[in-house]
């Protein structure tokens, strides 16, 4: 059964153009082609990257955040409550009004105290500012290394400058060692992101990030197996170009360097929109869809790789809409609004309003306004202008 599945999966009709078989891809002493088993190396490499990341964040990023003045906000902690904790963990983190009423009866607490408990409990689960800073530092470091590694590997390759060269001699294009290690670096990094996904900062586009990571891993893996190495390297270097500007934008935002953050975000926006909406469609999509047809007829691998590339492009359009909206707000307001993908912390101002309401219910007076002659009117007292009136030009108490 397993052998039959293996033979069906690796039919040359799936992976190679018409007229080419696996016998035509035999290696020699001087010529090596990509082998699917090579991809297994990315798993241990990914685990090594996770270890390196943990060491980097603790030894470099965290002390750096302290020196740069990144401080975590002191958050009020939710008091231990087994009933509310069970509901929070097992059912819902943001209960409806009816559920709040039911929980208040079970705990013998006012509804507003239950609501406050859930608000504080949600804030406790949100990542701290230092955690966001460390994560951004790690990704910035990797993207810089990866981008310049890609440039160093590709600068002397003909397909970087002439995109038709991606298909010269395809699929019998030998695998160079530099391309192999560049592929392993990128694939291992995205596997490491999958491994740390439960622990990383979760943003509002969390589902889109999962789709992006899955599509990227499938694309890198399939392009390697089908020897779409040249197209794969172009995709990776194009993606890393804009990411090099996104992470430092986050870093300066956490440092409260607003002008620098705004300037970098505008640079990132320009690089992202140009690279993902102009360079990527022409260099990659048009290349794989049109230029490749000059060399071979369509086959399964042709349709599959184009489907993955289009999936990435749809995600590019989604993120581009968010970026354009933020840039539009910046042009109108002159200031950059918060990242719409971020999960903002709930303010305790609601708690202050709750306290005021409780004082009012208990009959405790609160200040409302200050009169012009220095008297302070209190709630429930008689207004000053109703206690005095003029009699022959003199003030007389009623």
């Amino acid at each position: 059964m397993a052998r039959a599945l293996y033979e069906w999966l690796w039919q040359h009709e799936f992976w190679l153009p018409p007229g080419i078989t696996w016998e035509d891809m035999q290696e020699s002493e001087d010529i090596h082609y990509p082998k699917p088993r090579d991809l297994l190396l990315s798993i241990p490499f990914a685990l090594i990257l996770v270890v390196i990341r943990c060491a980097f964040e603790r030894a470099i990023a965290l002390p750096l955040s302290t020196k740069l003045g990144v401080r975590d906000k002191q958050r009020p902690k939710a008091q231990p409550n087994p009933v509310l904790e069970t509901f929070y963990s097992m059912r819902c983190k943001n209960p409806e009004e009816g559920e709040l009423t039911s929980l208040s009866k079970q705990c013998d607490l006012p509804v507003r105290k239950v609501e406050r408990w859930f608000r504080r409990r949600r804030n406790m689960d949100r990542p701290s500012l230092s955690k966001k800073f460390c994560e951004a530092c790690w990704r910035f470091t990797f993207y810089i290394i990866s981008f310049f590694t890609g440039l160093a590997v590709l600068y002397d390759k003909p397909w970087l400058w002439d995109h038709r060269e991606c298909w010269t001699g395809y699929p019998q294009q030998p695998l160079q060692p530099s391309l192999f290690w560049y592929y392993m670096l990128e694939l291992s990094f995205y596997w490491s992101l999958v491994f740390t996904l439960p622990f990383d900062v979760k943003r509002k586009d969390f589902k889109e990030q999962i789709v992006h990571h899955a599509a990227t891993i499938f694309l890198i893996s399939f392009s390697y197996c089908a020897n779409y190495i040249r197209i794969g390297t172009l995709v990776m270097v194009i993606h890393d170009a804009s990411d090099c500007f996104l992470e430092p934008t986050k870093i300066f935002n956490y440092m409260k360097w607003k002008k620098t953050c705004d300037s970098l975000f505008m640079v990132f926006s320009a690089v992202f929109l140009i690279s993902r909406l102009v360079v990527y469609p022409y260099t990659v999509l048009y290349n794989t869809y049109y230029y490749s047809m000059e060399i071979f007829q369509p086959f399964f691998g042709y349709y599959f790789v184009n489907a993955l590339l289009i999936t990435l492009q749809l995600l590019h359009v989604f993120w581009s809409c968010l970026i354009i909206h933020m840039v539009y707000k910046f042009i109108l307001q002159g200031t950059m609004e918060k990242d719409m993908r971020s999960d903002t912390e709930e303010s305790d101002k609601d708690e202050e309003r709750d306290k005021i309401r409780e004082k009012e219910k208990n009959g405790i007076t609160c200040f409302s306004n200050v009169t012009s002659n220095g008297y302070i009117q209190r709630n429930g007292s008689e207004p000053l202008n109703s206690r005095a009136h003029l009699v022959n030009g003199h003030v007389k108490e009623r």
Side-chain angles (χ1 to χ4, degrees):
M1 182 68 180
R3 183 171 181 80
L5 179 62
Y6 178 84
E7 291 177 354
W8 174 84
L9 178 63
W10 294 106
Q11 295 181 69
H12 62 265
E13 290 87 354
F14 291 165
W15 301 88
L16 302 174
I20 304 293
T21 65
W22 291 116
E23 285 72 18
D24 299 321
M25 303 291 293
Q26 294 297 322
E27 295 184 344
S28 64
E29 293 183 359
D30 300 327
I31 299 177
H32 298 280
Y33 295 111
K35 297 296 182 183
R37 63 175 179 269
D38 298 340
L39 298 177
L40 296 176
L41 290 173
S42 63
I43 302 299
F45 288 162
L47 296 176
I48 293 174
L49 280 179
V50 172
V51 174
I52 294 175
R53 172 182 173 175
C54 293
F56 173 86
E57 291 184 353
R58 290 188 179 184
I60 299 177
L62 192 57
L64 183 63
S65 68
T66 304
K67 291 184 178 180
L68 294 178
V70 178
R71 298 287 186 269
D72 292 332
K73 182 179 179 181
Q74 295 295 327
R75 300 168 177 170
K77 293 184 178 180
Q79 296 297 323
N81 190 308
V83 176
L84 299 181
E85 185 65 37
T86 301
F87 187 92
Y88 181 88
S89 303
M90 304 299 294
R91 293 187 58 183
C92 178
K93 296 183 178 181
N94 198 356
E96 301 292 336
E97 185 175 351
E99 294 172 325
L100 288 172
T101 303
S102 175
L103 289 170
S104 69
K105 293 179 180 178
Q106 296 179 41
C107 301
D108 194 22
L109 292 172
V111 175
R112 294 200 177 277
K113 285 192 175 181
V114 176
E115 186 179 7
R116 184 187 311 155
W117 187 94
F118 276 95
R119 183 165 55 247
R120 290 183 172 182
R121 185 66 180 82
R122 287 192 296 268
N123 283 338
M124 288 171 61
D125 282 350
R126 288 186 171 89
S128 63
L129 199 61
S130 60
K131 177 177 174 59
K132 294 179 180 179
F133 180 90
C134 292
E135 181 179 314
C137 282
W138 163 250
R139 296 196 182 200
F140 172 64
T141 302
F142 177 84
Y143 287 135
I144 284 290
I145 294 174
S146 177
F147 178 66
F148 283 102
T149 298
L151 291 181
V153 169
L154 295 177
Y155 83 97
D156 60 344
K157 303 298 187 293
W159 63 86
L160 180 63
W161 315 105
D162 183 2
H163 307 320
R164 280 187 168 88
E165 288 293 327
C166 289
W167 312 109
T168 301
Y170 180 83
Q172 294 169 310
Q173 297 171 337
L175 175 63
Q176 301 177 18
S178 59
L179 298 178
F180 167 79
W181 288 112
Y182 182 44
Y183 251 74
M184 286 298 106
L185 177 67
E186 290 280 354
L187 184 58
S188 301
F189 175 70
Y190 281 101
W191 273 121
S192 71
L193 292 182
V194 172
F195 295 158
T196 59
L197 205 58
F199 314 103
D200 287 342
V201 176
K202 290 182 175 60
R203 304 183 185 276
K204 293 181 181 179
D205 62 346
F206 179 71
K207 294 180 180 178
E208 289 81 3
Q209 287 285 352
I210 294 177
V211 174
H212 175 269
H213 294 344
T216 303
I217 290 173
F218 275 116
L219 179 60
I220 294 176
S221 301
F222 182 83
S223 66
Y224 186 85
C225 295
N227 206 11
Y228 280 102
I229 299 290
R230 298 184 179 184
I231 283 293
T233 54
L234 293 178
V235 173
M236 293 186 293
V237 77
I238 289 172
H239 278 70
D240 289 341
S242 59
D243 291 332
C244 291
F245 294 96
L246 174 60
E247 301 306 326
T249 301
K250 296 178 184 178
I251 291 173
F252 285 112
N253 180 44
Y254 303 146
M255 293 168 55
K256 310 294 185 186
W257 291 23
K258 187 161 184 57
K259 291 185 178 180
T260 306
C261 173
D262 291 348
S263 302
L264 270 177
F265 183 83
M266 298 303 292
V267 175
F268 159 74
S269 301
V271 174
F272 185 95
L273 296 176
I274 293 173
S275 62
R276 305 293 179 93
L277 300 184
V278 180
V279 177
Y280 177 83
Y282 173 72
T283 304
V284 177
L285 292 181
Y286 186 75
N287 193 6
T288 55
Y289 178 78
Y290 182 76
Y291 287 157
S292 62
M293 301 296 290
E294 299 176 354
I295 307 299
F296 54 79
Q297 295 299 315
F299 63 106
F300 173 79
Y302 167 83
Y303 294 113
F304 188 70
V305 75
N306 275 283
L308 292 174
L309 293 172
I310 291 173
T311 300
L312 283 182
Q313 183 60 22
L314 293 176
L315 291 171
H316 296 163
V317 173
F318 169 78
W319 284 313
S320 296
C321 291
L322 296 181
I323 291 171
I324 292 172
H325 179 75
M326 295 179 70
V327 172
Y328 176 73
K329 289 288 187 180
F330 176 76
I331 294 174
L332 290 182
Q333 301 175 1
T335 181
M336 190 67 64
E337 67 175 14
K338 292 182 179 179
D339 188 352
M340 290 181 294
R341 303 179 307 139
S342 298
D343 185 15
T344 55
E345 184 171 336
E346 296 174 83
S347 173
D348 282 340
K349 290 181 180 179
D350 296 332
E351 296 187 17
E352 297 299 329
R353 286 195 290 268
D354 293 344
K355 291 178 181 178
I356 293 174
R357 292 192 187 101
E358 290 177 6
K359 289 180 179 180
E360 290 175 346
K361 289 180 180 179
N362 294 332
I364 301 176
T365 59
C366 61
F367 297 108
S368 60
N369 63 347
V370 179
T371 60
S372 59
N373 60 359
Y375 285 93
I376 299 175
Q377 178 187 343
R378 297 177 181 272
N379 290 347
S381 62
E382 190 177 11
L384 182 62
N385 57 6
S386 66
R387 293 187 289 108
H389 65 280
L390 288 175
V391 179
N392 298 326
H394 300 284
V395 177
K396 182 179 178 180
E397 292 290 336
R398 284 183 174 175

